[in-house]
Amino acid sequence: MFERVEEMSFKNKRKLALPDEILLSIEKPARYTGNEINMVKKDPASVDVRFCMCFPDVYEIGMSHLGIQILYDMLNQWEDTYCERVYSPWPDLSQIMKERKIPLFALESQEPVRRFDFLGITLQYEMCYTNILQILDLSGIPLYTKDRTMEDPFVICGGPCTYNPEPVADFFDLVYIGEGEMSYRELLDLYKQWKKDGGTRRGFLEAAAAVEGIYVPSLYEIQYKEDGTIKAMAPLCDSAPRIVRKQVVTDLSQTYYPEKPLVPYIRATQDRVVLEIQRGCIRGCRFCQAGMIYRPIRPRNVEVLKQLAVRLLDNTGYEEITLSSLSSSDYKDLSELVYFLIDECKERKVNVSLPSLRIDAFSLDVMGKVQDIRKSSLTFAPEAGSQRMRNVINKGLTEEVILDGAWEAFQGGWNRVKLYFMLGLPGEREDDIEQIAVLADKIAAKYFELPKEKRHGRPEIVASSSFFVPKPFSPFQWAPMDSAGQFEEKRRFLLGKVKEQINQRSIRYNCHDALTSELEGIFARGDRRLSEVIVDAYKRGCMFDAWTDYFKADVWEQALEDNGVSKYFYNYRERGKDEIFPWDFIDIGVSKQFLWREYERAGQEKVTPNCREGCSGCGARKFGTGVCVEQEGVERIEDKNEIY
C-alpha cells in the first residue's frame, strides 16, 4: 500500500529540489529535505489523487499541528491518494526561490506543488493570511480563484479561521468547514469521477458545493447596504446550499488517529507525542470561539487512549507525551489515564507533560509525580482580575478558588505561578484592570504565609495579558473592540498598578502587541472586501505577520488606508442584534439566538452553568453526541425561550 521511512539512510536519498549550495546557505535546511521518520512514500504515478497539505507558517510550527498529522495519515491510508506536505519557506529561502524562479515543492516527492490535484491549506490564525499568498505565489498558482485554469490545482482550506473565511474567500476554490475526517472521501471520489468524465473546472466546483461541509465562495453573491453591512448572501447555482453545516466526528474512539506520526529531525514547537483525549468544551466562556465551534464535547474511550499512547511511544521514540483538549480537567477518566501514563512512562523513562489543569488535590499529586518541583511552574487562567468581569465572561472561577489553588501549590513546593489575563473585555472598567495587579499581589502574599523553612526563595508570579479580540460564533461577536491606542493606555495603567503592589518585586508583567491584535480583529470579523488589503500588504513585503520581528505595522496601516478600510466599521462599533454577519451562512449547531442571549447575560453580569450542570439549549444537541445528550441526570430544559 505504502512505505514509511523509519530512519535516515542512503536508500532513502532522493534528488532534492534545492541544490546543496542553497541548502548550505540557509537557516535550518532540514526544513526542506523531508525524509522524516514515518514519512509516507508512494509512487505518484500509481495514485489517482495527489494532495499537498500545507501549513502556512514555518516548518517547526506546522510539524506541531495535530490536525495535519491526522489528515496526512488518513489520506495516505487510501490506496488511490498520496498526501504530501509543504510549509512556508522562511524569508531567507523565500527570497532565493523568487530570485532563481524555483517553484515551491512538496517534501515527500520534492516535486512542484502546482503539479498536484489539490493544495490544502490550514487556516489556524488570521495573521497567516499573507503567508497563504506566499505559498500560492511561489507555487506559480494565481492568487485569485477567478484567474485559475485547468492547469492549476484546486485550492482548499480548513481550520478554525474557516468559520469566517470571507476575508480570504477570493483566494480559495473550496472551503472545508468542520472536522476533516468526515467529507474528504466523498470529495475525492467526486474529483476522480469528474476527472474521468473530462469536466470543466466550474463543473467540479458546482458538484463539490453539494458535498456536506464544502463551501465554494465563487458560487455566492454578496449584496451590501449603504452603511456597508451585508444585505444578503445568495448562491448562484442550485447545488450551492444557502447554509453550510459544519462536519462533526460523533465517535472519536472509532475515527482516524495517526499511530505513526511524523517525527522531524529538528526540534519542533511541539516536540512530543500528542494524545488528543477529547474535542469540545462544556464551559461556555463568552470570549472563546473554540468553546462554541467545537461543541458538543466528545471524549475518547480511556482504554483506546491507553492503547494509542503505547503505540505512539513505540512508533516515534519521543521522550515526552502530552494530553490535548480544550479543557482536560473535564475529561471524566482523566485520573485513570494520567496514572496509567505515569506508570507506563516511568518504565520507559519518558516524561509526561500535562496541560493546564484546575488546581486541586489530584492535579497537585500528579504534577508532583511528573515534574521537577525546582523547575516547574503552575498556570492559572483567571482571564480577568475582578469577580465582576469573570462573571461577565462566564469564566466560572472565583478568587477564593484561585487563592486556595495557589496556597495548595505553594504548600506542595511550587514557587512559580503563571497568570493569564485579557485586557479590553466588554464592559471593562478601570477598577477591573487594577484588580489584575491586586490579584497577582494576593497570590504572592499567599506564598509568604508559608513558614520560612518551607519557602524556596522568593515567589515568581508572571502575569501576562493579551488583548481581547471578538471572534465569530462567540457571544462577543457583537461587541466593540478597543483601538490599539486604548490597549496601550490600559497596558501602561496596569503596569503602573503592578509597581504599586506590596509584593511587586515578586511580580513580573508582560503583554501582547496591540497593533497585531487590532489587525487580527479586522480579519476575524471581516468580509470579502479585505482581500485587496491582504494582496497589497503581501506585495509590499508582509509575511510571517505573527512573528514580531517580521510584522510591518506601518505597511499594514498604509494598505488599510489605501483600500479605504475603516477600523471603526470592522472593529470599534457594536453590531446590532439583527445585523447579517459574513459568516451567517455557516451552521455550527450553536444557534445565533443562544449566542445573543449569552451576550445579553454578559451585560447583566450573569453566569450560565456549564453543560454538565444544566442544558442551556445552545443547539449542539442536533449532532446527537456529547455530554448534552448523555443520560447523566443533566437537567433538560426543552423550552429554549425559557432556558434561564
Side-chain angles (χ1 to χ4, degrees):
M1 188 166 134
F2 61 78
E3 176 188 355
R4 286 189 187 268
V5 175
E6 294 183 358
E7 59 180 290
M8 183 72 80
S9 65
F10 287 107
K11 75 171 185 176
N12 293 326
K13 278 194 154 184
R14 308 145 296 155
K15 183 178 179 181
L16 299 176
L18 297 175
D20 289 348
E21 60 171 296
I22 293 179
L23 288 171
L24 293 172
S25 69
I26 59 176
E27 184 181 342
K28 298 184 181 179
R31 290 168 171 163
Y32 315 104
T33 56
N35 250 39
E36 303 98 332
I37 294 171
N38 293 330
M39 186 191 86
V40 173
K41 297 179 70 176
K42 291 186 181 181
D43 177 7
S46 69
V47 299
D48 299 314
V49 182
R50 297 190 67 185
F51 197 111
C52 191
M53 192 72 67
C54 170
F55 193 96
D57 208 322
V58 71
Y59 174 89
E60 295 93 308
I61 292 179
M63 279 293 287
S64 302
H65 186 246
L66 179 60
I68 283 188
Q69 292 267 16
I70 291 173
L71 293 180
Y72 180 83
D73 185 78
M74 179 186 79
L75 294 175
N76 278 319
Q77 287 187 34
W78 301 338
E79 292 188 14
D80 62 351
T81 305
Y82 188 14
C83 181
E84 304 184 42
R85 295 162 297 130
V86 68
Y87 305 95
S88 288
W90 196 240
D92 56 354
L93 178 59
S94 182
Q95 184 63 32
I96 292 172
M97 294 178 77
K98 277 193 170 185
E99 291 173 353
R100 302 198 184 187
K101 294 183 170 33
I102 299 172
L104 189 62
F105 53 89
L107 297 189
E108 279 73 5
S109 65
Q110 299 280 300
E111 292 185 8
V113 169
R114 193 165 186 253
R115 294 183 188 173
F116 285 69
D117 299 297
F118 289 89
L119 170 60
I121 302 178
T122 185
L123 304 184
Q124 200 65 21
Y125 31 79
E126 291 85 359
M127 301 311 292
C128 73
Y129 286 172
T130 51
N131 279 40
I132 295 168
L133 303 188
Q134 177 211 29
I135 294 289
L136 296 173
D137 194 13
L138 292 176
S139 300
I141 300 170
L143 302 185
Y144 290 99
T145 183
K146 63 182 175 62
D147 297 325
R148 293 175 196 146
T149 69
M150 296 290 287
E151 302 301 313
D152 298 301
F154 289 100
V155 184
I156 183 171
C157 64
C161 290
T162 59
Y163 288 91
N164 177 23
E166 292 305 281
V168 291
D170 289 339
F171 311 138
F172 288 99
D173 301 303
L174 309 119
V175 178
Y176 188 114
I177 297 172
E179 294 167 351
E181 298 97 326
M182 295 296 291
S183 295
Y184 265 117
R185 183 66 269 175
E186 182 181 353
L187 180 66
L188 298 193
D189 285 344
L190 188 71
Y191 173 79
K192 287 166 60 179
Q193 187 60 49
W194 167 82
K195 197 174 181 180
K196 180 180 178 181
D197 295 342
T200 64
R201 191 175 181 92
R202 169 84 177 200
F204 175 71
L205 294 177
E206 290 187 358
V211 176
E212 282 281 336
I214 300 296
Y215 167 53
V216 182
S218 61
L219 301 182
Y220 294 79
E221 179 183 47
I222 294 102
Q223 299 174 359
Y224 298 94
K225 299 178 182 177
E226 288 186 7
D227 63 1
T229 60
I230 293 175
K231 179 180 180 181
M233 180 179 184
L236 298 173
C237 68
D238 293 338
S239 62
R242 288 189 174 274
I243 299 295
V244 180
R245 190 179 184 187
K246 77 169 181 182
Q247 297 302 284
V248 175
V249 177
T250 56
D251 187 352
L252 284 188
S253 299
Q254 299 298 321
T255 191
Y256 297 93
Y257 201 83
E259 295 183 6
K260 290 187 174 183
L262 292 151
V263 181
Y265 286 106
I266 59 175
R267 182 173 292 277
T269 306
Q270 185 95 287
D271 202 36
R272 58 182 73 98
V273 165
V274 179
L275 193 63
E276 184 189 39
I277 61 176
Q278 65 184 9
R279 292 181 190 170
C281 184
I282 65 172
R283 292 290 151 183
C285 297
R286 293 178 179 128
F287 59 83
C288 183
Q289 180 192 53
M292 298 298 166
I293 63 176
Y294 296 128
R295 285 190 176 197
I297 193 167
R298 290 150 290 145
R300 274 194 170 89
N301 179 275
V302 68
E303 295 302 324
V304 170
L305 289 171
K306 290 176 184 178
Q307 295 170 19
L308 266 176
V310 172
R311 291 176 194 148
L312 287 164
L313 291 171
D314 286 342
N315 294 329
T316 61
Y318 274 123
E319 298 177 346
E320 191 169 355
I321 185 170
T322 190
L323 308 182
S324 172
S325 78
L326 289 176
S327 179
S328 296
S329 292
D330 293 319
Y331 180 65
K332 291 188 298 181
D333 296 313
L334 183 65
S335 59
E336 180 181 348
L337 176 62
V338 168
Y339 286 127
F340 168 81
L341 291 176
I342 289 173
D343 292 340
E344 182 71 26
C345 293
K346 185 176 181 181
E347 292 182 14
R348 296 169 178 263
K349 297 184 179 179
V350 169
N351 295 325
V352 179
S353 174
L354 296 175
S356 295
L357 301 175
R358 287 197 297 275
I359 305 303
D360 53 24
F362 159 70
S363 300
L364 293 171
D365 176 58
V366 167
M367 285 184 277
K369 290 179 178 178
V370 303
Q371 298 188 58
D372 181 341
I373 290 176
R374 291 171 299 175
K375 295 181 179 179
S376 66
S377 61
L378 295 181
T379 300
F380 295 82
E383 308 296 357
S386 69
Q387 191 59 53
R388 187 188 77 84
M389 279 309 302
R390 286 194 292 274
N391 291 346
V392 167
I393 64 178
N394 207 45
K395 183 61 183 176
L397 193 64
T398 66
E399 182 176 291
E400 181 182 6
V401 169
I402 297 168
L403 294 178
D404 285 349
W407 173 244
E408 293 289 336
F410 294 148
Q411 285 187 311
W414 278 266
N415 70 336
R416 292 198 287 176
V417 173
K418 294 179 181 177
L419 302 169
Y420 290 107
F421 300 95
M422 281 186 286
L423 291 176
L425 287 163
E428 182 180 72
R429 301 193 297 242
E430 198 170 79
D431 59 308
D432 297 313
I433 300 173
E434 182 177 358
Q435 286 302 307
I436 294 175
V438 172
L439 180 59
D441 186 63
K442 287 180 179 179
I443 291 173
K446 273 288 178 186
Y447 180 82
F448 289 109
E449 293 179 17
L450 286 173
K452 288 186 178 180
E453 63 272 14
K454 290 188 177 182
R455 299 176 196 168
H456 302 277
R458 298 187 66 84
E460 297 178 40
I461 313 299
V462 180
S464 299
S465 68
S466 60
F467 296 118
F468 166 69
V469 177
K471 291 297 178 85
F473 294 112
S474 72
F476 288 153
Q477 62 183 349
W478 287 273
M481 179 178 170
D482 282 351
S483 68
Q486 289 172 313
F487 281 147
E488 282 299 323
E489 286 180 14
K490 292 181 176 183
R491 182 191 64 80
R492 288 192 295 268
F493 174 79
L494 177 54
L495 180 60
K497 291 300 177 181
V498 168
K499 291 179 178 179
E500 292 176 5
Q501 301 307 308
I502 295 173
N503 298 293
Q504 56 93 8
R505 288 179 56 199
S506 299
I507 304 171
R508 181 159 55 90
Y509 171 64
N510 52 53
C511 189
H512 190 63
D513 178 66
L515 291 172
T516 306
S517 298
E518 188 172 60
L519 189 62
E520 180 185 338
I522 291 172
F523 290 127
R525 295 187 291 176
D527 51 49
R528 291 195 193 185
R529 292 170 292 188
L530 295 175
S531 63
E532 290 294 340
V533 179
I534 301 169
V535 172
D536 280 2
Y538 171 69
K539 288 181 177 178
R540 298 177 192 188
C542 289
M543 281 191 310
F544 290 97
D545 298 301
W547 296 73
T548 304
D549 292 346
Y550 289 94
F551 181 62
K552 299 179 173 64
D554 56 337
V555 176
W556 275 108
E557 285 290 329
Q558 193 62 52
L560 291 169
E561 183 179 334
D562 290 351
N563 286 276
V565 172
S566 165
K567 291 183 181 179
Y568 171 81
F569 179 82
Y570 287 106
N571 273 1
Y572 308 155
R573 68 185 179 91
E574 183 177 29
R575 272 66 168 168
K577 177 183 178 181
D578 298 321
E579 179 171 334
I580 297 174
F581 294 140
W583 53 89
D584 274 353
F585 69 92
I586 301 172
D587 175 13
I588 67 161
V590 176
S591 70
K592 194 172 183 180
Q593 291 76 16
F594 168 78
L595 295 173
W596 175 257
R597 288 196 297 266
E598 282 297 289
Y599 186 46
E600 289 185 311
R601 287 175 70 80
Q604 297 161 2
E605 302 173 17
K606 291 182 179 179
V607 174
T608 299
N610 70 59
C611 298
R612 287 208 172 106
E613 294 174 337
C615 177
S616 299
C618 73
R621 288 177 61 183
K622 71 173 66 172
F623 292 106
T625 187
V627 70
C628 56
V629 292
E630 290 176 1
Q631 300 302 317
E632 297 182 350
V634 174
E635 183 182 358
R636 315 283 180 206
I637 305 176
E638 300 301 332
D639 185 354
K640 295 186 174 72
N641 292 320
E642 301 294 337
I643 62 171
Y644 300 121

